[in-house]
Amino acid sequence: MHEAAIVESALELILAKAEEHHLTKIRRITAKVGELSGALPEAMQFAFQNASQGTIAEGSDFTIEQVEATASCGSCGITFPIRFYHPVCPSCGGLDNQVLTGYELYIDTMEGD
């Protein structure tokens, strides 16, 4: 389960930032996870519950916002949702497409006292 390693690394950074800002309790954390990132939000939730035990993040609201995967067609210029890594433009059938979103995997916000 690579989600556990991802969450543990993220939690290290979160706790370091909390210490830097003199927080004694983390109340809420928001993560952005793209559909193409390979990370499963449910597994990340589970890993966070386990990894945060005994830390100032224990019991915090760990929210995962899933980012839709989109691409832009290099031929006709439209932006369209995708579900796989090598998208075909639904408008012109073009293959010269650039993935715009979907690979995100980061902590977006953190709130605490």
Side-chain angles (χ1 to χ4, degrees):
M1 176 194 295
H2 72 283
E3 285 84 355
I6 292 168
V7 168
E8 287 172 11
S9 293
L11 188 58
E12 285 179 25
L13 294 172
I14 289 165
L15 295 175
K17 278 293 179 190
E19 184 176 344
E20 181 181 318
H21 293 279
H22 309 289
L23 299 179
T24 57
K25 180 67 181 162
I26 297 171
R27 302 272 176 221
R28 181 180 178 148
I29 300 163
T30 304
K32 299 275 188 175
V33 178
E35 291 178 325
L36 302 176
S37 69
L40 300 174
E42 300 82 15
M44 290 180 69
Q45 286 284 357
F46 180 77
F48 180 79
Q49 288 175 355
N50 288 330
S52 65
Q53 288 181 2
T55 72
I56 63 170
E58 183 175 3
S60 64
D61 177 18
F62 183 63
T63 302
I64 296 175
E65 295 177 358
Q66 197 155 24
V67 180
E68 178 184 41
T70 62
S72 175
C73 179
S75 299
C76 71
I78 71 162
T79 297
F80 55 97
I82 59 173
R83 299 287 174 247
F84 47 89
Y85 296 97
H86 300 289
V88 176
C89 177
S91 178
C92 71
L95 297 173
D96 180 27
N97 303 305
Q98 179 178 359
V99 175
L100 300 175
T101 61
Y103 289 114
E104 293 81 358
L105 185 57
Y106 61 89
I107 299 300
D108 190 42
T109 61
M110 177 179 76
E111 300 172 18
D113 302 323

XYZ file of all heavy atoms in Angstrom:
850
model
N 0.853 -1.178 0.000
C 0.000 0.000 0.000
C 0.897 1.239 0.000
O 1.436 1.630 1.024
C -0.916 -0.009 1.230
C -1.749 1.243 1.333
S -2.551 1.539 2.901
C -3.685 0.220 3.038
N 1.098 1.858 -1.161
C 1.959 3.033 -1.223
C 1.292 4.264 -0.621
O 1.967 5.246 -0.321
C 2.418 3.293 -2.657
C 1.371 3.809 -3.574
N 0.403 3.016 -4.116
C 1.151 5.061 -4.029
C -0.375 3.752 -4.869
N 0.043 4.989 -4.841
N -0.028 4.232 -0.416
C -0.723 5.354 0.216
C -0.194 5.607 1.622
O -0.098 6.754 2.058
C -2.236 5.117 0.251
C -2.938 5.288 -1.077
C -2.878 4.051 -1.958
O -2.202 3.046 -1.593
O -3.502 4.065 -3.032
N 0.177 4.545 2.335
C 0.715 4.699 3.688
C 2.014 5.506 3.651
O 2.213 6.418 4.465
C 0.940 3.340 4.337
N 2.880 5.208 2.709
C 4.143 5.948 2.583
C 3.885 7.397 2.193
O 4.543 8.310 2.716
C 5.051 5.272 1.558
N 2.931 7.616 1.315
C 2.579 8.982 0.897
C 2.076 9.769 2.097
O 2.510 10.905 2.344
C 1.509 8.956 -0.219
C 2.095 8.386 -1.506
C 0.926 10.352 -0.453
C 1.060 8.047 -2.561
N 1.162 9.182 2.843
C 0.573 9.866 4.001
C 1.621 10.113 5.085
O 1.647 11.182 5.693
C -0.641 9.083 4.540
C -1.076 9.603 5.893
C -1.791 9.161 3.548
N 2.489 9.145 5.336
C 3.525 9.327 6.349
C 4.460 10.474 5.984
O 4.816 11.289 6.837
C 4.305 8.029 6.553
C 3.502 6.974 7.294
C 4.177 5.616 7.346
O 5.382 5.525 6.993
O 3.499 4.652 7.731
N 4.831 10.579 4.724
C 5.683 11.689 4.276
C 4.952 13.017 4.406
O 5.530 14.011 4.858
C 6.116 11.482 2.824
O 6.964 10.381 2.715
N 3.689 13.034 4.002
C 2.896 14.260 4.104
C 2.736 14.668 5.568
O 2.835 15.854 5.901
C 1.539 14.071 3.447
N 2.501 13.691 6.434
C 2.317 13.987 7.852
C 3.593 14.570 8.466
O 3.528 15.480 9.295
C 1.854 12.746 8.611
C 1.452 12.961 10.060
C 0.329 13.993 10.180
C 1.017 11.635 10.690
N 4.743 14.083 8.057
C 6.011 14.654 8.533
C 6.091 16.137 8.179
O 6.482 16.961 9.011
C 7.198 13.917 7.912
C 7.472 12.553 8.495
C 8.648 11.863 7.822
O 9.530 12.568 7.272
O 8.673 10.630 7.833
N 5.718 16.475 6.950
C 5.743 17.877 6.521
C 4.706 18.706 7.277
O 4.980 19.843 7.686
C 5.481 17.970 5.019
C 6.547 17.377 4.118
C 6.071 17.348 2.670
C 7.842 18.165 4.234
N 3.531 18.140 7.474
C 2.450 18.824 8.206
C 2.895 19.133 9.632
O 2.729 20.246 10.121
C 1.177 17.967 8.196
C 0.564 17.936 6.794
C 0.168 18.443 9.229
C -0.467 16.847 6.595
N 3.471 18.151 10.293
C 3.907 18.345 11.676
C 5.053 19.346 11.766
O 5.116 20.136 12.708
C 4.284 17.000 12.306
C 3.126 16.007 12.461
C 3.634 14.665 12.967
C 2.035 16.561 13.362
N 5.929 19.344 10.778
C 7.021 20.322 10.762
C 6.470 21.733 10.587
O 6.914 22.667 11.272
C 8.008 19.986 9.646
N 5.496 21.903 9.693
C 4.878 23.219 9.499
C 4.117 23.644 10.751
O 4.133 24.815 11.126
C 3.931 23.204 8.298
C 4.614 23.378 6.998
C 5.196 24.774 6.903
C 5.919 24.970 5.608
N 6.685 26.205 5.556
N 3.450 22.700 11.395
C 2.717 23.012 12.624
C 3.675 23.500 13.701
O 3.392 24.479 14.397
C 1.947 21.788 13.103
N 4.819 22.852 13.830
C 5.821 23.267 14.820
C 6.369 24.650 14.475
O 6.523 25.508 15.355
C 6.956 22.246 14.880
C 7.973 22.556 15.954
C 9.057 21.486 16.068
O 8.874 20.372 15.550
O 10.089 21.791 16.693
N 6.622 24.864 13.204
C 7.134 26.157 12.735
C 6.174 27.306 13.078
O 6.610 28.410 13.383
C 7.329 26.080 11.212
C 7.877 27.317 10.572
C 8.001 27.138 9.061
O 8.431 26.052 8.611
O 7.666 28.094 8.338
N 4.875 27.013 13.055
C 3.858 28.037 13.332
C 3.284 27.930 14.747
O 2.267 28.533 15.045
C 2.743 27.963 12.289
C 3.213 28.355 10.924
N 3.334 29.667 10.530
C 3.627 27.612 9.864
C 3.786 29.711 9.290
N 3.973 28.476 8.862
N 3.956 27.142 15.589
C 3.606 27.006 17.006
C 2.171 26.506 17.224
O 1.489 26.962 18.136
C 3.842 28.317 17.763
C 5.204 28.884 17.537
N 6.339 28.310 18.058
C 5.617 29.958 16.815
C 7.399 29.005 17.671
N 6.990 30.002 16.920
N 1.740 25.576 16.388
C 0.410 24.993 16.567
C 0.480 23.869 17.588
O 1.442 23.094 17.606
C -0.132 24.443 15.242
C -0.308 25.443 14.097
C -0.818 24.727 12.859
C -1.252 26.552 14.496
N -0.534 23.776 18.419
C -0.597 22.693 19.400
C -1.633 21.646 19.023
O -1.640 20.554 19.583
C -0.928 23.247 20.799
O -2.164 23.962 20.731
C 0.185 24.166 21.287
N -2.501 21.984 18.078
C -3.520 21.045 17.607
C -3.837 21.363 16.152
O -4.053 22.514 15.788
C -4.801 21.154 18.446
C -5.911 20.222 18.027
C -5.541 18.779 18.276
C -6.665 17.851 17.825
N -6.220 16.486 17.638
N -3.857 20.326 15.327
C -4.261 20.485 13.933
C -5.723 20.067 13.839
O -6.087 18.965 14.263
C -3.387 19.635 12.991
C -1.937 20.109 13.074
C -3.900 19.717 11.556
C -0.952 19.227 12.362
N -6.538 20.954 13.342
C -7.988 20.707 13.263
C -8.439 20.165 11.921
O -9.330 19.331 11.857
C -8.753 22.002 13.546
C -8.465 22.613 14.879
C -9.376 22.066 15.928
N -8.990 22.615 17.232
C -8.957 21.898 18.313
N -9.288 20.640 18.288
N -8.590 22.440 19.450
N -7.836 20.677 10.852
C -8.295 20.274 9.520
C -7.134 20.276 8.537
O -6.298 21.176 8.550
C -9.376 21.228 9.040
C -9.902 20.868 7.685
C -10.964 21.804 7.197
N -11.309 21.336 5.867
C -12.480 21.435 5.330
N -13.452 22.012 5.970
N -12.711 20.965 4.136
N -7.130 19.265 7.671
C -6.139 19.144 6.603
C -6.904 18.834 5.329
O -7.794 17.980 5.326
C -5.131 18.009 6.893
C -4.398 18.279 8.199
C -4.162 17.831 5.724
C -3.696 17.057 8.768
N -6.559 19.543 4.257
C -7.183 19.273 2.964
C -6.095 18.867 1.983
O -5.096 19.574 1.830
C -7.926 20.515 2.428
O -8.876 20.937 3.398
C -8.646 20.205 1.127
N -6.310 17.737 1.334
C -5.370 17.245 0.324
C -6.054 17.239 -1.034
O -7.261 17.024 -1.129
C -4.906 15.839 0.677
N -5.284 17.467 -2.077
C -5.762 17.374 -3.458
C -5.172 16.096 -4.046
O -3.957 15.878 -3.989
C -5.309 18.571 -4.289
C -5.803 19.904 -3.794
C -7.162 20.209 -4.320
C -7.517 21.647 -3.937
N -8.752 22.091 -4.475
N -6.048 15.252 -4.591
C -5.613 13.982 -5.162
C -6.225 13.847 -6.554
O -7.443 13.794 -6.700
C -6.032 12.784 -4.278
C -5.623 11.469 -4.914
C -5.420 12.922 -2.895
N -5.377 13.808 -7.570
C -5.840 13.676 -8.945
C -6.243 12.252 -9.282
O -5.700 11.294 -8.735
N -7.186 12.147 -10.190
C -7.673 10.832 -10.613
C -6.581 9.967 -11.230
O -6.666 8.745 -11.193
C -8.808 10.997 -11.629
C -10.074 11.553 -11.069
C -11.151 11.739 -12.123
O -10.823 12.071 -13.286
O -12.327 11.558 -11.776
N -5.550 10.583 -11.776
C -4.466 9.832 -12.418
C -3.248 9.652 -11.519
O -2.232 9.121 -11.946
C -4.030 10.549 -13.708
C -5.106 10.773 -14.758
C -4.541 11.576 -15.932
C -5.684 9.462 -15.232
N -3.340 10.097 -10.269
C -2.183 10.055 -9.366
C -1.821 8.636 -8.929
O -0.705 8.388 -8.490
C -2.444 10.904 -8.125
O -3.442 10.309 -7.317
N -2.768 7.728 -9.017
C -2.520 6.365 -8.569
C -2.785 6.160 -7.090
O -2.674 5.040 -6.585
N -3.134 7.219 -6.375
C -3.413 7.123 -4.942
C -4.919 6.961 -4.724
O -5.724 7.662 -5.352
C -2.917 8.367 -4.224
N -5.277 6.053 -3.855
C -6.687 5.803 -3.548
C -7.092 6.601 -2.310
O -6.523 6.409 -1.229
C -6.922 4.318 -3.298
C -6.592 3.386 -4.460
C -6.729 1.931 -4.027
C -7.494 3.688 -5.644
N -8.066 7.510 -2.466
C -8.484 8.338 -1.329
C -8.889 7.536 -0.097
O -8.545 7.914 1.024
C -9.664 9.131 -1.890
C -9.371 9.237 -3.353
C -8.745 7.905 -3.696
N -9.590 6.424 -0.268
C -10.018 5.620 0.880
C -8.815 5.060 1.627
O -8.788 5.045 2.862
C -10.933 4.474 0.436
C -12.191 4.918 -0.267
C -12.000 5.225 -1.754
O -10.964 4.841 -2.342
O -12.884 5.892 -2.318
N -7.824 4.617 0.890
C -6.614 4.076 1.511
C -5.831 5.189 2.211
O -5.244 4.975 3.282
C -5.740 3.383 0.479
N -5.847 6.383 1.627
C -5.167 7.514 2.262
C -5.859 7.900 3.566
O -5.194 8.211 4.550
C -5.107 8.712 1.310
C -4.161 8.498 0.141
S -4.106 9.907 -0.972
C -3.275 11.118 0.078
N -7.186 7.873 3.583
C -7.937 8.162 4.811
C -7.546 7.183 5.913
O -7.272 7.571 7.042
C -9.453 8.069 4.556
C -10.029 9.212 3.786
C -10.198 10.468 4.620
O -9.944 10.497 5.812
N -10.619 11.522 3.964
N -7.547 5.902 5.573
C -7.199 4.853 6.529
C -5.765 5.040 7.033
O -5.494 4.969 8.244
C -7.379 3.477 5.889
C -7.034 2.343 6.795
C -7.900 1.947 7.804
C -5.837 1.660 6.639
C -7.578 0.886 8.644
C -5.503 0.607 7.480
C -6.375 0.224 8.490
N -4.851 5.305 6.107
C -3.446 5.483 6.478
C -3.275 6.704 7.379
O -2.489 6.674 8.333
C -2.590 5.623 5.223
N -4.022 7.778 7.104
C -3.915 8.972 7.927
C -4.401 8.710 9.346
O -3.770 9.150 10.309
C -4.694 10.144 7.316
C -4.597 11.388 8.149
C -3.467 12.183 8.081
C -5.601 11.730 9.033
C -3.354 13.312 8.884
C -5.500 12.850 9.828
C -4.371 13.651 9.752
N -5.494 7.998 9.483
C -6.005 7.681 10.829
C -4.954 6.943 11.640
O -4.769 7.213 12.830
C -7.291 6.869 10.737
C -8.477 7.677 10.265
C -9.715 6.813 10.073
O -9.670 5.586 10.205
N -10.818 7.451 9.742
N -4.272 6.016 11.005
C -3.240 5.242 11.709
C -1.983 6.069 11.972
O -1.450 6.059 13.079
C -2.878 3.995 10.908
C -3.976 2.969 10.951
O -4.712 2.875 11.926
N -4.112 2.196 9.885
N -1.505 6.785 10.958
C -0.246 7.525 11.083
C -0.351 8.703 12.047
O 0.637 9.076 12.674
C 0.209 8.015 9.712
N -1.537 9.293 12.165
C -1.682 10.493 12.996
C -1.894 10.183 14.475
O -1.833 11.103 15.302
C -2.839 11.349 12.477
O -4.075 10.670 12.620
N -2.094 8.911 14.819
C -2.303 8.561 16.225
C -1.110 9.001 17.071
O 0.037 8.777 16.714
C -2.529 7.064 16.383
C -3.879 6.627 15.870
C -4.118 5.133 16.056
O -3.293 4.415 16.597
N -5.266 4.676 15.603
N -1.427 9.670 18.181
C -0.386 10.116 19.093
C 0.290 11.416 18.680
O 1.258 11.825 19.310
N -0.205 12.052 17.613
C 0.355 13.329 17.173
C -0.693 14.424 17.360
O -1.853 14.133 17.664
C 0.760 13.297 15.681
O -0.435 13.292 14.879
C 1.622 12.082 15.356
N -0.292 15.664 17.132
C -1.253 16.768 17.247
C -2.263 16.769 16.097
O -3.220 17.532 16.121
C -0.550 18.137 17.338
C 0.241 18.444 16.074
C 0.326 18.206 18.577
C 0.770 19.876 16.006
N -2.085 15.890 15.137
C -3.037 15.763 14.025
C -4.085 14.683 14.289
O -5.050 14.563 13.524
C -2.295 15.458 12.731
N -3.919 13.931 15.359
C -4.875 12.857 15.658
C -6.276 13.446 15.821
O -6.470 14.449 16.506
C -4.483 12.121 16.936
C -5.402 10.959 17.255
C -4.940 10.143 18.454
O -3.926 10.513 19.093
O -5.597 9.131 18.759
N -7.243 12.857 15.156
C -8.632 13.297 15.242
C -8.984 14.466 14.351
O -10.126 14.917 14.340
N -8.022 14.960 13.596
C -8.316 16.094 12.723
C -9.157 15.644 11.532
O -9.198 14.474 11.181
C -7.031 16.765 12.239
O -6.287 15.881 11.434
N -9.828 16.603 10.919
C -10.637 16.352 9.729
C -9.684 16.307 8.539
O -9.140 17.339 8.144
C -11.671 17.467 9.574
C -12.506 17.335 8.317
O -12.556 16.235 7.733
O -13.107 18.344 7.912
N -9.476 15.118 8.000
C -8.584 14.932 6.856
C -9.468 14.800 5.623
O -10.059 13.755 5.374
C -7.704 13.698 7.063
C -6.704 13.466 5.963
C -5.700 14.395 5.707
C -6.738 12.317 5.205
C -4.765 14.175 4.710
C -5.806 12.079 4.210
C -4.818 13.014 3.957
N -9.574 15.886 4.868
C -10.453 15.928 3.702
C -9.638 15.750 2.433
O -8.596 16.402 2.267
C -11.193 17.285 3.641
O -11.929 17.457 4.842
C -12.129 17.353 2.451
N -10.126 14.889 1.571
C -9.464 14.675 0.290
C -10.390 15.178 -0.807
O -11.523 14.722 -0.932
C -9.124 13.193 0.066
C -8.110 12.738 1.119
C -8.599 12.976 -1.350
C -7.797 11.268 1.073
N -9.889 16.143 -1.576
C -10.632 16.666 -2.715
C -10.055 16.030 -3.970
O -8.878 16.220 -4.281
C -10.514 18.183 -2.780
C -11.160 18.875 -1.599
C -10.987 20.377 -1.610
O -10.329 20.927 -2.530
O -11.517 21.018 -0.679
N -10.882 15.250 -4.651
C -10.415 14.570 -5.852
C -10.457 15.532 -7.034
O -11.431 16.253 -7.235
C -11.246 13.326 -6.146
C -10.554 12.404 -7.107
C -10.995 10.974 -6.961
O -12.071 10.694 -6.481
N -10.167 10.056 -7.387
N -9.371 15.571 -7.801
C -9.244 16.452 -8.956
C -9.500 15.643 -10.219
O -8.837 14.629 -10.464
C -7.841 17.099 -9.011
C -7.708 18.008 -10.220
C -7.550 17.854 -7.727
N -10.468 16.115 -10.999
C -10.823 15.445 -12.246
C -9.661 15.518 -13.230
O -8.968 16.540 -13.322
C -12.053 16.119 -12.860
C -12.472 15.526 -14.187
C -13.635 16.256 -14.829
O -13.666 17.499 -14.798
O -14.511 15.571 -15.375
N -9.470 14.455 -13.976
C -8.436 14.421 -15.003
C -8.978 15.071 -16.279
O -10.064 14.730 -16.740
C -8.021 12.983 -15.282
N -8.227 16.036 -16.807
C -8.617 16.711 -18.041
C -7.419 16.815 -18.974
O -6.258 16.749 -18.544
C -9.156 18.136 -17.781
O -8.133 18.930 -17.195
C -10.390 18.119 -16.892
N -7.721 16.985 -20.251
C -6.679 17.169 -21.261
C -7.124 18.253 -22.229
O -8.306 18.574 -22.326
C -6.421 15.867 -22.012
N -6.155 18.792 -22.942
C -6.409 19.804 -23.959
C -5.955 19.245 -25.300
O -4.843 18.708 -25.412
C -5.630 21.079 -23.636
O -5.775 22.026 -24.657
N -6.811 19.384 -26.317
C -6.484 18.876 -27.644
C -5.549 19.837 -28.357
O -5.838 21.032 -28.462
C -7.762 18.678 -28.460
S -7.438 18.069 -30.132
N -4.450 19.305 -28.846
C -3.491 20.114 -29.587
C -3.955 20.448 -30.988
O -3.419 21.352 -31.624
N -4.977 19.744 -31.483
C -5.481 19.995 -32.836
C -6.624 20.995 -32.853
O -6.573 21.995 -33.558
C -5.939 18.684 -33.481
O -4.864 17.789 -33.586
N -7.677 20.724 -32.063
C -8.855 21.605 -32.115
C -8.983 22.518 -30.898
O -9.821 23.414 -30.876
C -10.140 20.794 -32.320
S -10.659 19.813 -30.903
N -8.158 22.300 -29.853
C -8.102 23.221 -28.733
C -9.105 23.021 -27.616
O -9.090 23.761 -26.649
N -9.975 22.021 -27.708
C -10.951 21.848 -26.633
C -10.300 21.211 -25.408
O -9.260 20.560 -25.507
C -12.186 21.018 -27.069
C -11.818 19.543 -27.261
C -12.856 21.593 -28.300
C -13.023 18.612 -27.260
N -10.913 21.436 -24.265
C -10.511 20.781 -23.022
C -11.589 19.766 -22.704
O -12.779 20.068 -22.799
C -10.384 21.804 -21.880
O -9.343 22.727 -22.230
C -10.034 21.128 -20.564
N -11.172 18.548 -22.320
C -12.143 17.482 -22.102
C -11.698 16.570 -20.957
O -10.505 16.458 -20.670
C -12.339 16.665 -23.387
C -11.076 16.095 -23.968
C -10.704 14.789 -23.693
C -10.258 16.864 -24.786
C -9.541 14.254 -24.230
C -9.094 16.334 -25.327
C -8.733 15.029 -25.040
N -12.679 15.952 -20.282
C -12.336 15.012 -19.206
C -11.761 13.732 -19.788
O -12.142 13.313 -20.885
C -13.670 14.758 -18.507
C -14.706 15.083 -19.517
C -14.119 16.117 -20.438
N -10.836 13.141 -19.050
C -10.239 11.876 -19.483
C -10.304 10.847 -18.361
O -10.443 11.192 -17.196
C -8.772 12.057 -19.953
C -7.908 12.642 -18.831
C -8.716 12.918 -21.192
C -6.429 12.704 -19.160
N -10.182 9.610 -18.717
C -10.207 8.521 -17.737
C -8.997 7.604 -17.876
O -8.904 6.594 -17.212
C -11.480 7.679 -17.897
C -12.743 8.450 -17.682
C -12.921 8.757 -16.198
N -14.065 9.612 -15.998
C -14.006 10.873 -15.565
N -12.856 11.421 -15.252
N -15.088 11.586 -15.429
N -8.078 7.955 -18.757
C -6.909 7.121 -18.988
C -5.737 8.013 -19.376
O -5.905 9.209 -19.608
C -7.187 6.066 -20.061
C -7.849 6.633 -21.294
C -7.104 7.123 -22.333
C -9.243 6.687 -21.382
C -7.711 7.665 -23.449
C -9.859 7.226 -22.501
C -9.090 7.717 -23.544
N -4.563 7.450 -19.471
C -3.342 8.230 -19.628
C -3.071 8.752 -21.042
O -2.386 9.735 -21.214
C -2.136 7.415 -19.152
C -2.220 7.108 -17.680
C -2.704 5.898 -17.222
C -1.840 8.053 -16.739
C -2.789 5.632 -15.860
C -1.927 7.800 -15.385
C -2.397 6.578 -14.955
O -2.486 6.329 -13.611
N -3.572 8.114 -22.067
C -3.341 8.549 -23.445
C -4.684 8.896 -24.075
O -5.276 8.099 -24.787
C -2.626 7.460 -24.241
C -1.299 7.096 -23.654
N -0.211 7.936 -23.699
C -0.898 6.009 -22.976
C 0.799 7.370 -23.084
N 0.415 6.198 -22.630
N -5.152 10.125 -23.828
C -6.493 10.491 -24.262
C -6.610 10.748 -25.766
O -5.681 11.228 -26.403
C -6.759 11.777 -23.488
C -5.399 12.374 -23.287
C -4.484 11.186 -23.104
N -7.759 10.427 -26.295
C -8.128 10.730 -27.674
C -9.183 11.823 -27.596
O -10.144 11.718 -26.827
C -8.691 9.482 -28.392
C -9.173 9.834 -29.792
C -7.641 8.384 -28.441
N -9.038 12.867 -28.388
C -9.986 13.972 -28.373
C -11.363 13.486 -28.815
O -11.488 12.882 -29.894
C -9.512 15.093 -29.284
S -10.681 16.473 -29.391
N -12.399 13.741 -28.012
C -13.739 13.294 -28.380
C -14.349 14.133 -29.505
O -15.322 13.712 -30.132
C -14.542 13.463 -27.089
C -13.842 14.553 -26.349
C -12.386 14.396 -26.703
N -13.753 15.280 -29.791
C -14.297 16.161 -30.822
C -13.725 15.847 -32.202
O -14.467 15.644 -33.157
C -14.008 17.625 -30.461
O -14.479 18.498 -31.459
N -12.382 15.784 -32.293
C -11.757 15.596 -33.614
C -11.017 14.264 -33.750
O -10.517 13.940 -34.825
C -10.814 16.754 -33.915
S -9.299 16.765 -32.924
N -10.896 13.503 -32.647
C -10.176 12.229 -32.691
C -8.670 12.394 -32.643
O -7.924 11.428 -32.797
N -8.215 13.623 -32.412
C -6.777 13.901 -32.378
C -6.070 13.217 -31.222
O -6.645 12.969 -30.163
N -4.792 12.923 -31.448
C -3.968 12.268 -30.430
C -2.916 13.195 -29.838
O -2.190 12.812 -28.927
C -3.283 11.039 -31.036
C -4.218 9.934 -31.524
C -3.425 8.854 -32.243
C -4.997 9.347 -30.369
N -2.828 14.416 -30.356
C -1.840 15.389 -29.878
C -2.437 16.152 -28.700
O -2.773 17.322 -28.804
C -1.467 16.343 -31.011
C -0.443 17.377 -30.582
O 0.340 17.084 -29.655
O -0.445 18.478 -31.153
N -2.588 15.455 -27.575
C -3.265 16.035 -26.419
C -2.322 16.136 -25.235
O -1.439 15.309 -25.058
C -4.481 15.187 -26.048
C -5.428 15.067 -27.210
O -5.861 16.070 -27.761
N -5.750 13.844 -27.606
N -2.569 17.159 -24.417
C -1.755 17.385 -23.230
C -2.638 17.244 -21.992
O -3.683 17.894 -21.898
C -1.138 18.774 -23.261
C -0.296 19.075 -22.055
C 0.350 20.447 -22.131
O 0.183 21.186 -23.090
N 1.095 20.770 -21.108
N -2.213 16.422 -21.058
C -2.944 16.269 -19.807
C -2.760 17.554 -19.004
O -1.634 18.023 -18.802
C -2.443 15.046 -19.000
C -3.132 14.968 -17.642
C -2.681 13.766 -19.790
N -3.871 18.143 -18.557
C -3.832 19.395 -17.800
C -3.941 19.160 -16.299
O -3.238 19.786 -15.512
C -4.975 20.322 -18.242
C -4.994 20.737 -19.701
C -6.252 21.542 -19.995
C -3.751 21.533 -20.049
N -4.866 18.299 -15.907
C -5.092 18.017 -14.488
C -5.289 16.521 -14.300
O -5.626 15.801 -15.238
C -6.337 18.757 -13.952
O -7.494 18.315 -14.674
C -6.189 20.260 -14.069
N -5.097 16.094 -13.063
C -5.323 14.690 -12.743
C -4.160 14.022 -12.039
O -4.318 12.972 -11.437
N -2.975 14.630 -12.097
C -1.798 14.055 -11.447
C -1.534 14.672 -10.072
O -0.557 14.318 -9.413
C -0.546 14.231 -12.307
C -0.528 13.362 -13.541
C -0.582 13.924 -14.803
C -0.465 11.983 -13.434
C -0.557 13.135 -15.936
C -0.448 11.174 -14.556
C -0.495 11.749 -15.808
O -0.479 10.958 -16.924
N -2.385 15.587 -9.626
C -2.168 16.280 -8.356
C -2.083 15.291 -7.190
O -2.803 14.307 -7.143
C -3.318 17.261 -8.086
C -3.383 18.410 -9.045
C -4.058 18.081 -10.366
O -4.459 16.937 -10.598
O -4.181 19.001 -11.177
N -1.201 15.609 -6.259
C -1.064 14.824 -5.038
C -0.303 15.691 -4.038
O 0.922 15.669 -3.981
C -0.321 13.510 -5.295
C -0.210 12.526 -4.137
C -1.590 12.142 -3.597
C 0.552 11.292 -4.557
N -1.052 16.510 -3.297
C -0.407 17.437 -2.371
C -1.358 17.880 -1.267
O -2.570 17.760 -1.386
C 0.142 18.660 -3.104
C -0.881 19.504 -3.833
C -1.536 20.560 -3.194
C -1.195 19.256 -5.167
C -2.465 21.341 -3.861
C -2.124 20.037 -5.835
C -2.755 21.073 -5.191
O -3.682 21.843 -5.850
N -0.764 18.412 -0.194
C -1.537 19.012 0.896
C -1.841 20.436 0.467
O -0.934 21.212 0.154
C -0.748 18.998 2.230
C -0.426 17.572 2.654
C -1.529 19.735 3.320
C -1.619 16.669 2.872
N -3.129 20.782 0.451
C -3.551 22.104 0.002
C -3.647 23.096 1.157
O -3.119 24.193 1.077
C -4.894 21.987 -0.720
C -5.296 23.263 -1.422
O -4.426 23.904 -2.053
O -6.491 23.632 -1.348
N -4.324 22.693 2.238
C -4.482 23.594 3.378
C -4.365 22.820 4.693
O -4.577 21.605 4.728
C -5.841 24.331 3.377
O -6.879 23.365 3.458
C -6.011 25.167 2.128
N -4.060 23.578 5.741
C -3.996 23.024 7.095
C -4.479 24.100 8.050
O -4.101 25.257 7.917
C -2.555 22.632 7.407
C -2.350 22.108 8.808
S -0.645 21.621 9.118
C 0.152 23.191 9.322
N -5.331 23.717 8.990
C -5.827 24.652 10.007
C -5.574 24.076 11.377
O -5.686 22.872 11.583
C -7.327 24.873 9.820
C -7.722 25.457 8.484
C -9.228 25.465 8.278
O -9.986 25.339 9.257
O -9.637 25.591 7.109
N -5.239 24.935 12.312
C -4.992 24.463 13.667
C -4.971 25.591 14.664
O -5.182 26.763 14.336
N -4.719 25.236 15.916
C -4.659 26.200 17.008
C -3.231 26.273 17.547
O -2.498 25.347 17.552
C -5.562 25.750 18.172
C -7.004 25.566 17.730
O -7.482 26.362 16.893
O -7.640 24.610 18.238
